[in-house]
Amino acid sequence: MSTIELSELVRRLTRRTTRALEKGLDRCMKRKHFEVRSEHLLLGLLEDEGSDLMLLVRHYQLDLGRLRFVLERGLDDLRGGNTGNPTFALPLRTW
């Protein structure tokens, strides 16, 4: 596995995914989390009806409300109180 620079990661994203990441970052900052995690990004993707994630949700007939609930609950367990800028969690920067 290698870690890539964030600017390189963002450059490779589609516009749709970049918007979802921005929504995730906004959610992270509003909750005062210290890291942007996959849950933040996934919730951002779920807000976009045209995202690949939403296509999968519809195709596999997943319970969207339950999926959102589980992701939000995962975020509820994170430590808050960050007054600065969050960082991106290592799993989002590694492949």
Side-chain angles (χ1 to χ4, degrees):
M1 287 189 165
S2 62
T3 303
I4 64 169
E5 293 295 321
L6 290 178
S7 59
E8 179 67 15
L9 171 67
V10 172
R11 188 181 67 76
R12 292 182 184 198
L13 298 176
T14 64
R15 286 184 188 156
R16 177 166 266 144
T17 307
T18 301
R19 283 193 303 270
L21 185 61
E22 289 168 350
K23 288 178 182 180
L25 178 60
D26 185 56
R27 178 177 276 106
C28 178
M29 293 177 76
K30 285 180 180 174
R31 288 176 165 247
K32 298 184 181 200
H33 290 151
F34 289 85
E35 291 183 322
V36 178
R37 297 178 51 134
S38 56
E39 293 90 336
H40 295 104
L41 175 59
L42 291 171
L43 284 164
L45 288 167
L46 289 176
E47 291 178 18
D48 182 354
E49 285 294 320
S51 72
D52 289 346
L53 180 57
M54 282 302 297
L55 293 173
L56 291 169
V57 166
R58 283 192 293 275
H59 177 77
Y60 290 104
Q61 300 176 354
L62 301 176
D63 183 340
L64 182 58
R66 176 77 177 143
L67 182 56
R68 282 191 175 122
F69 174 80
V70 169
L71 291 169
E72 289 285 354
R73 188 157 183 203
L75 292 179
D76 290 343
D77 292 339
L78 297 178
R79 186 169 58 104
N82 186 14
T83 58
N85 292 326
T87 61
F88 284 86
L90 189 59
L92 290 179
R93 297 182 283 125
T94 307
W95 55 29

